[in-house]
């Protein structure tokens, strides 16, 4: 069963995406930190600036979660 979800990532001014641990950025969208709450996103934007020295813009994403069941 699949479910569509929405969230936000932070896209840095150099085109990479913010991740919460060093090196704090990645070129791969699927490795980016996903935020669901506005307050968390605003705080992360400040961390992105502090840790990378780059401006970060909020980018809305849509993704699909697929629930896999184990069969014995």
């Amino acid at each position: 069963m699949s479910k569509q979800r929405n969230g936000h990532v932070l896209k840095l001014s150099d085109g990479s995406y913010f991740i919460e641990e060093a090196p704090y950025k990645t070129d791969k969208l699927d490795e980016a930190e996903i935020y669901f709450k506005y307050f968390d996103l605003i705080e992360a934007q400040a961390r992105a600036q502090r840790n990378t020295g780059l401006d970060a813009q909020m980018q809305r994403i849509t993704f699909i979660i697929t629930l896999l069941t184990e069969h014995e």
Side-chain angles (χ1 to χ4, degrees), residues 8-30:
H8 289 81
V9 296
L10 292 175
K11 189 170 187 177
L12 301 170
S13 58
D14 69 354
S16 61
Y17 299 93
F18 182 64
I19 55 178
E20 290 285 353
E21 296 180 8
Y24 303 112
K25 60 183 189 170
T26 180
D27 291 331
K28 299 177 183 176
L29 177 59
D30 62 344

Side-chain angles (χ1 to χ4, degrees), residues 33-56:
E33 191 74 27
I34 300 173
Y35 301 95
F36 297 100
K37 296 179 182 176
Y38 185 74
F39 186 74
D40 293 340
L41 188 58
I42 294 299
E43 286 186 337
Q45 202 169 24
R47 286 192 302 276
Q49 173 72 39
R50 184 174 59 250
N51 291 325
T52 67
L54 301 170
D55 291 328

